[in-house]
């Protein structure tokens, strides 16, 4: 089954998509690095000649001329850092970092994870000619590290990758600031003022509600060009633009409006209505999401590998290897990453957990922290970018050897860490990878046995909630998987109504029919009948089903014609809005939104993971932080961070 749940309200779905993209591109990047090394060692002259080829842009008397190497490092890499900025903004708007307390540990780990490697580099290179290149030892390579983690840590939960990515975000942002402030030369103030003015114009355009990308492109080009002329590395422009791109879920009202536009086009298929419908559909997505969809694949599969091809080429022979092995630059970079990064991530996590008495702690188990620390020693993109700014000649080649050596050693350490973890008994392995961090809840409100329609044992460790529409064909496709899951004795299933009348005209009446059957004690029987007969949901059909189930048909008819249960349907729709749900079917497992396919294999794996987390939560003693939350919340209440912008507006 290829169906997928509807658009996301929080970080999990985009992060999983982000991780998959980075993981897939890691292979391309590795191939590019190997190709660069082979090329440089077979014919060093042609390698250098290609990247020194000049490329000029001329408009009248204005001319901008740079070699290919510069166009890649300062031009195309701007789009790479645009993606970094977009991911950062999305974490804060939609992800776990919407609870700002959860940003403390990754932020501190990211900062210290840059400081300790730099200190190690400076200790080794103190007073030497390579000391000014300390920035090379700072930054982890997001694409390569996540890709290698996927290859070396098979079976590692998404939460470990998400924890690692939150640390990387801080890492990348600080690295860009260092490039702008430390490794930019001959800075000219007038172009910087122009760049700031261009950025202000861009913000004004956004504030005016303009959503067409064509309105922003000329201003972004002016901003980038001004920074290039100013002496500040223009990749900063990409990060700044990405950080200003809001991320949010499309609302149900907006989607219903788009459905109306498409109905108009269906009735009168003119070019004007086609364009209106197309623009309306695109505008339901956030600027962040639209930019990610355009630039992330290009960044991962073209720009970063091309950067690797242009920068990883070094001639390796015995004399050079002997020189590199004796070079403080090589050892400073190598030890900075291999020793400094794990020490920083693990030490920061342990220190903050101890100092805060568990109020601030990693979102993963300690094996996950260890693996995150070792894989954080994988560097490439930003490191080589800074190396090209800080070094030339032999020192540049020695820095590249250190970077490549650190990636190899860090990958080996990560493989070892997860290999040892996999030898642990299942329960200990699960705790070591996942930890006992309480997850944020996406489902609002929580399941209420007295109000919700519940199938399965009340004491089940896993609760599967579905927002569904009885006329939705995708709900029909998901139903066999759900029924198969109901054979699990440790799972309860909850159905909440989300009829989509703009695309399914009989869905609302069918939902009311299910509620009319519920008051006569036959909700689940009617539920099953409706999903088995999705093409026959008119009033006469519903009354026939009531008779087949032995219901009081007169009462059933009166309930439908008077819309006696409309309020109950509206209550579920309000719940969907608060939970950020805009389409069907949408599943929540133990309060967390499920993303991806809803076939039996995928749902079973998600349920198994939720059960493991639930058992960890039962075994773990209450921390002081949890006790404080309980005192703050009071009896019978829960602390919930709402992921839907609509819910925030309602709360206000």
């Amino acid at each position: 089954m290829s169906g997928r749940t509807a658009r996301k309200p929080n970080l999990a779905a985009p992060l999983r998509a982000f991780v998959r993209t980075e993981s897939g591109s890691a292979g391309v990047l590795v191939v590019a690095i190997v190709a660069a090394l082979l090329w440089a060692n077979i014919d060093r002259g042609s390698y250098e000649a290609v990247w020194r080829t000049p490329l000029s842009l001329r408009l009248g008397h204005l001319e901008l001329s740079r070699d290919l190497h510069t166009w890649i490092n300062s031009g195309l890499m701007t789009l790479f850092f645009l993606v970094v900025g977009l991911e950062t903004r999305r974490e804060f708007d939609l992800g776990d970092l919407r609870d700002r307390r959860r940003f403390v540990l990754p932020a501190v780990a990211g900062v210290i994870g840059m400081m300790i490697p730099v200190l190690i580099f400076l200790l080794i290179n103190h007073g030497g000619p390579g000391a000014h290149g300390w920035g090379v030892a700072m930054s982890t390579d997001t694409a390569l590290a996540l890709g290698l983690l996927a290859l070396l840590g098979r079976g590692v939960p998404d939460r470990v990758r998400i924890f690692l990515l939150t640390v990387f975000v801080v890492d990348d942002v600080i690295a860009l600031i260092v490039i702008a402030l430390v490794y930019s030369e001959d800075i000219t103030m007038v172009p910087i003022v122009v760049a700031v003015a261009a950025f202000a114009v861009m913000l004004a355009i956004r504030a005016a509600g303009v959503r067409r990308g064509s309105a922003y492109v000329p201003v972004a080009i002016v901003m980038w060009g001004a920074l290039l002329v100013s002496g500040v590395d223009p990749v900063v422009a990409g990060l700044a633009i990405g950080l200003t791109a809001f991320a949010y879920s499309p609302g149900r009202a907006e989607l219903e409006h788009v459905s109306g536009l498409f109905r108009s086009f269906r009735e009168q298929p003119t070019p004007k209505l086609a364009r209106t419908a197309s623009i309306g559909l695109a505008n339901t997505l956030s600027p962040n999401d639209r930019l990610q969809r355009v630039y992330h694949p290009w960044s991962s599969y073209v720009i970063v590998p091309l950067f690797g091809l242009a920068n990883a080429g070094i001639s390796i022979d015995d004399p050079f290897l002997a020189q590199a092995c004796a070079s403080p630059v090589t050892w400073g970079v190598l030890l900075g990453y291999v020793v400094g990064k794990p020490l920083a991530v693990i030490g920061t996590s342990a220190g903050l957990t101890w100092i805060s008495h568990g109020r601030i702690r990693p979102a993963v188990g300690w094996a996950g922290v260890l693996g995150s620390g070792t894989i954080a020693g994988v560097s490439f993109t930003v490191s080589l970018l800074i190396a090209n700014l800080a070094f030339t000649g032999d020192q540049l080649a020695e820095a590249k050897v250190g970077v490549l050596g650190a990636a190899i050693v860090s990958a080996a350490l990560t493989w070892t860490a997860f290999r040892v973890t996999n030898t642990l008994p299942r329960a200990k392995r699960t705790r070591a990878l996942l930890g006992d961090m309480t997850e944020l809840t996406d489902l609002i409100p929580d399941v209420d046995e007295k109000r919700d329609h519940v199938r399965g044992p009340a004491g089940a460790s896993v609760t599967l909630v579905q927002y569904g529409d009885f006329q939705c064909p995708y709900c029909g496709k998901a139903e066999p998987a759900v029924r198969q899951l109901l054979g699990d004795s440790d799972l309860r299933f909850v159905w909440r109504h989300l009829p989509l009348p703009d695309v399914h005209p009989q869905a609302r009446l069918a939902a009311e029919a299910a509620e009319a059957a519920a008051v006569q004690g036959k909700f689940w029987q009617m539920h099953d009948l409706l999903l088995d007969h999705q093409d026959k949901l008119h009033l006469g059909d519903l009354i026939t089903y009531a008779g087949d189930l032995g219901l009081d048909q007169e009462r059933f008819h009166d309930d439908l014609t008077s819309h006696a249960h409309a309020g109950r349907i509206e209550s579920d729709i309000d719940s969907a809005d608060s939970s950020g749900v805009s389409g069907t079917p949408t599943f929540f497992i133990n309060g967390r939104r499920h993303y991806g396919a809803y076939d039996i294999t995928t749902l079973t794996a998600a349920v198994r993971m939720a059960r493991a987390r639930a058992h960890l939560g039962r075994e773990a003693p209450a921390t002081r932080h949890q006790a404080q939350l309980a005192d703050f919340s009071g009896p019978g209440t829960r602390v919930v961070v709402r992921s839907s912008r609509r819910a925030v507006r309602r709360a206000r």
Side-chain angles (χ1 to χ4, degrees):
M1 202 180 309
S2 61
R4 292 189 178 273
T5 52
R7 179 78 170 96
K8 63 255 179 187
N10 67 16
L11 183 63
L15 262 179
R16 285 171 183 153
F18 183 86
V19 167
R20 283 195 297 270
T21 303
E22 296 298 350
S23 301
S25 69
V28 182
L29 177 56
V30 170
V31 170
I33 294 172
V34 172
L37 290 171
L38 290 174
W39 184 3
N41 283 274
I42 293 173
D43 189 350
R44 179 70 182 180
S46 68
Y47 181 84
E48 294 287 349
V50 167
W51 304 118
R52 289 176 180 171
T53 302
L55 176 63
S56 301
L57 298 177
R58 179 177 295 175
L59 180 62
H61 296 292
L62 299 176
E63 181 180 5
L64 181 62
S65 181
R66 298 288 189 276
D67 58 26
L68 285 179
H69 190 267
T70 303
W71 281 112
I72 292 171
N73 287 14
S74 296
L76 293 181
M77 288 301 290
T78 302
L79 299 179
F80 168 79
F81 286 106
L82 169 67
V83 173
V84 172
L86 293 171
E87 188 62 30
T88 305
R89 183 57 188 252
R90 191 167 60 183
E91 284 195 53
F92 279 96
D93 288 347
L94 298 177
D96 279 356
L97 297 185
R98 65 191 189 272
D99 179 359
R100 297 298 186 249
R101 293 170 301 181
R102 300 197 174 209
F103 183 60
V104 173
L105 192 147
V108 176
V111 173
I112 295 179
M114 302 181 85
M115 292 175 59
I116 292 181
V118 168
L119 289 174
I120 291 175
F121 182 91
L122 289 175
L123 284 174
I124 295 174
N125 287 271
H126 178 67
H132 68 284
W134 54 267
V136 179
M138 289 194 312
S139 183
T140 299
D141 188 286
T142 305
L144 191 55
L146 288 176
L148 289 174
L149 184 64
L151 295 173
L152 303 171
R154 293 189 180 276
V156 173
D158 281 342
R159 189 191 285 190
V160 175
R161 297 182 176 92
I162 292 170
F163 171 75
L164 187 60
L165 185 56
T166 56
V167 176
F168 285 172
V169 165
V170 177
D171 188 301
D172 286 334
V173 171
I174 296 177
L176 260 290
I177 294 173
V178 169
I179 290 174
L181 298 180
V182 179
Y183 293 104
S184 297
E185 299 179 353
D186 301 324
I187 296 177
T188 306
M189 289 308 300
V190 173
I192 291 180
V193 172
V194 173
V196 171
F199 187 59
V201 170
M202 190 176 299
L203 295 179
I205 295 174
R206 189 194 66 182
V210 177
R211 295 191 135 191
R212 294 186 181 180
S214 58
Y216 294 87
V217 171
V219 185
I221 292 175
V222 170
M223 180 181 176
W224 178 86
L227 288 174
L228 181 66
V229 173
S230 73
V232 175
D233 198 302
V235 294
V236 177
L239 182 68
I241 294 170
L243 289 172
T244 62
F246 292 126
Y248 54 80
S249 290
R252 189 168 48 85
E254 289 84 356
L255 295 177
E256 289 175 353
H257 174 67
V258 173
S259 295
L261 295 177
F262 273 96
R263 275 199 304 271
S264 299
F265 173 71
R266 177 67 180 85
E267 294 165 356
Q268 190 177 8
T270 64
K272 180 179 179 180
L273 289 177
R275 178 175 173 78
T276 301
S278 178
I279 293 174
L281 179 62
N283 286 343
T284 61
L285 300 176
S286 70
N288 189 290
D289 192 61
R290 284 183 283 139
L291 289 171
Q292 281 271 21
R293 289 174 186 271
V294 172
Y295 292 111
H296 195 182
W298 283 100
S299 170
S300 297
Y301 287 98
V302 178
I303 294 173
V304 172
L306 188 58
F307 174 86
L309 184 63
N311 290 273
I314 51 177
S315 297
I316 300 176
D317 52 28
D318 291 341
F320 172 74
L321 283 177
Q323 176 185 331
C325 289
S327 169
V329 171
T330 300
W331 284 105
V333 173
L334 180 64
L335 295 179
Y337 282 111
V338 173
V339 177
K341 286 288 186 178
L343 181 63
V345 173
I346 298 168
T348 300
S349 299
L352 285 178
T353 301
W354 179 72
I355 293 172
S356 68
H357 301 286
R359 288 190 295 271
I360 299 173
R361 64 187 190 279
V364 297
W366 290 106
V369 174
L370 174 61
S372 299
T374 55
I375 202 66
V378 173
S379 64
F380 187 75
T381 310
V382 178
S383 297
L384 293 191
L385 190 64
I386 296 177
N388 279 280
L389 296 173
F391 296 126
T392 58
D394 288 345
Q395 283 188 331
L396 176 58
E398 292 162 4
K400 290 180 179 181
V401 170
V403 168
L404 295 175
I408 295 171
V409 175
S410 296
L413 291 175
T414 303
W415 179 85
T416 303
F418 286 121
R419 183 74 174 177
V420 172
T421 302
N422 287 336
T423 64
L424 298 174
R426 183 169 182 173
K428 291 184 177 180
R429 181 172 70 248
T430 302
R431 177 177 293 279
L433 290 172
L434 294 178
D436 59 0
M437 183 74 163
T438 303
E439 290 193 315
L440 296 182
T441 301
D442 299 321
L443 182 67
I444 304 172
D446 201 358
V447 173
D448 183 349
E449 291 268 358
K450 296 179 180 179
R451 174 194 173 280
D452 282 303
H453 301 295
V454 182
R455 225 174 191 173
S461 64
V462 178
T463 298
L464 177 67
V465 177
Q466 178 182 353
Y467 284 91
D469 172 317
F470 288 115
Q471 199 179 358
C472 171
Y474 297 103
C475 292
K477 291 180 180 180
E479 185 61 14
V482 172
R483 292 182 184 179
Q484 190 170 340
L485 281 174
L486 288 174
D488 188 333
S489 61
D490 190 30
L491 180 142
R492 62 175 181 167
F493 175 68
V494 176
W495 173 278
R496 287 184 179 176
H497 302 288
L498 183 58
L500 305 174
D502 54 317
V503 288
H504 304 138
Q506 281 76 52
R508 181 65 180 250
L509 187 63
E512 293 185 24
E515 292 302 323
V519 298
Q520 298 189 47
K522 295 290 182 69
F523 173 83
W524 288 111
Q525 293 88 332
M526 180 63 76
H527 165 276
D528 294 345
L529 270 176
L530 295 175
L531 286 174
D532 288 339
H533 300 85
Q534 290 187 302
D535 57 338
K536 297 179 179 179
L537 298 178
H538 293 88
L539 179 60
D541 300 317
L542 300 176
I543 293 174
T544 299
Y545 302 151
D548 294 341
L549 294 176
L551 303 181
D552 182 338
Q553 287 180 297
E554 183 176 352
R555 178 185 177 187
F556 183 86
H557 177 272
D558 290 343
D559 283 351
L560 291 187
T561 55
S562 65
H563 301 290
H565 305 291
R568 177 67 173 75
I569 309 302
E570 286 297 329
S571 176
D572 278 0
I573 292 174
D574 288 343
S575 167
D577 287 345
S578 297
S579 302
V581 178
S582 54
T584 58
T586 299
F587 293 94
F588 291 79
I589 302 177
N590 282 356
R592 289 287 284 184
R593 179 81 171 264
H594 168 73
Y595 297 96
Y598 36 80
D599 58 275
I600 185 61
T601 302
T602 305
L603 285 176
T604 299
V607 166
R608 187 182 301 117
M609 182 62 68
R611 180 173 291 121
R613 290 174 178 169
H615 290 162
L616 285 177
R618 290 176 179 178
E619 295 170 5
T623 64
R624 183 177 301 181
H625 175 50
Q626 292 169 324
Q628 288 178 346
L629 284 180
D631 292 340
F632 176 79
S633 303
T637 63
R638 303 174 66 249
V639 174
V640 177
V641 179
R642 301 192 174 209
S643 59
S644 167
R645 299 183 80 191
R646 186 187 306 273
V648 172
R649 289 196 297 267
R650 291 186 178 195
R652 288 175 179 171

